[in-house]
Amino acid sequence: MLIDTHCHLTDERLAGETENIIASLEADGLESVITVGYDEPSSREGAQLAARFADVYCTVGMHPHDASAATQDVYDEFVSLANGNPKVVAIGEIGLDYYYDLSPRETQKKVFAEQLELARFLKLPVCLHVRDAYEDCRRILADNADKLTYGVLLHCYSGSAEMVPVFGKFDAYFAFGGAITFKNARRNLEALLAVPRDRLLLETDCPYMTPVPYRGQTNFPKYVNLVADKAAEVLGLQRAEVEDITTENAKRLFNRLK
């Protein structure tokens, strides 16, 4: 059984389908899913969804796109949602996005560091969104290394193979999704091959990043099976080995997963 370590079940593109998606998880070969927060409403809705369904977990956090909206009241809400709640497994997705720059870069950096402190306080790992900002991300992690005790995940890793050992110094995990199935995936596949087996996770980022052959359509957690198939092919592993490795890794990092 697989774990989709990053999906967005609260996204409006899945409106009306969420409960059916969850009901079919076991039949689709999924043990559990983690629905990821990216602002205050999505974090709250994710926590509510996780409270209703045993095989749904969640994260809370402020995406770099929305960093300008971060306030102490938002952080207090995240603490209220996560503190003592076994269904909240990480702070995320947080980080830096210099591709879209929807929040000023200095604001992104500030909010990123503040949420690393929040994760330390809550004793939770962090789930990072990083796009075109890997060196600044590295610097911020290095400056806040004392706050990384509970784990680091680079979601939808798009960095180079050469950067894998750089982030490995922070004992980071790396998650791969539908991008490894794309025709232009050479860089992603090189990075996949560079990741230590005990630091590899799988995800969908649904409803986005839909793998081949469904690219261009809505993504669903069940399509993590296609990601697992491709990972097994590239790594020269049996499909069952990929399932065992990535599920064990997910439970090690997100230690609230059952």
Side-chain angles (χ1 to χ4, degrees), residues 6-244:
H6 193 112
C7 63
H8 297 284
L9 295 182
T10 62
D11 192 278
E12 61 183 10
R13 291 173 62 181
L14 299 178
E17 300 185 67
T18 302
E19 292 197 13
N20 288 335
I21 292 169
I22 295 169
S24 67
L25 288 177
E26 184 175 0
D28 291 333
L30 277 77
E31 180 175 320
S32 58
V33 297
I34 300 173
T35 187
V36 173
Y38 50 86
D39 60 10
E40 187 175 16
S42 64
S43 296
R44 187 185 311 111
E45 291 166 16
Q48 291 169 349
L49 201 60
R52 291 176 56 202
F53 298 98
D55 42 6
V56 176
Y57 295 81
C58 67
T59 74
V60 298
M62 188 68 77
H63 193 286
H65 288 347
D66 300 290
S68 296
T71 65
Q72 187 58 51
D73 285 344
V74 170
Y75 294 154
D76 289 345
E77 174 74 0
F78 291 163
V79 170
S80 177
L81 290 170
N83 200 17
N85 183 351
K87 299 304 291 293
V88 178
V89 299
I91 299 299
E93 57 188 291
I94 66 175
L96 304 171
D97 192 312
Y98 292 175
Y99 182 82
Y100 287 108
D101 276 329
L102 296 185
S103 287
R105 292 185 180 184
E106 290 307 311
T107 301
Q108 291 187 45
K109 293 176 186 178
K110 175 178 177 289
V111 171
F112 183 14
E114 289 171 349
Q115 292 185 98
L116 292 177
E117 170 59 31
L118 187 64
R120 183 208 61 78
F121 173 74
L122 290 167
K123 300 182 178 180
L124 289 172
V126 290
C127 171
L128 306 187
H129 170 105
V130 186
R131 190 166 185 188
D132 291 357
Y134 281 95
E135 179 54 27
D136 275 1
C137 178
R138 183 202 64 78
R139 290 194 188 101
I140 291 171
L141 293 180
D143 290 344
N144 293 273
D146 60 321
K147 302 178 180 69
L148 307 179
T149 305
Y150 302 98
V152 176
L153 169 64
L154 285 98
H155 129 76
C156 199
Y157 182 67
S158 60
S160 66
E162 290 75 19
M163 288 297 286
V164 168
V166 173
F167 285 98
K169 294 178 181 178
F170 304 112
D171 201 24
Y173 290 72
F174 302 80
F176 293 84
I180 66 171
T181 71
F182 298 169
K183 289 182 179 179
N184 60 347
R186 180 183 59 82
R187 178 183 171 94
N188 303 85
L189 298 182
E190 289 173 351
L192 173 63
L193 286 164
V195 170
R197 299 281 169 82
D198 66 347
R199 290 298 180 268
L200 173 63
L201 298 178
L202 302 179
E203 62 169 78
T204 61
D205 200 20
C206 94
Y208 314 99
M209 297 293 291
T210 312
V212 173
Y214 302 106
R215 190 176 184 184
Q217 302 176 36
T218 301
N219 199 4
F220 298 99
K222 64 183 178 182
Y223 292 158
V224 75
N225 285 281
L226 299 171
V227 180
D229 289 342
K230 185 64 177 182
E233 174 192 330
V234 172
L235 297 173
L237 297 173
Q238 295 297 315
R239 165 56 189 268
E241 292 179 281
V242 170
E243 291 190 18
D244 291 344

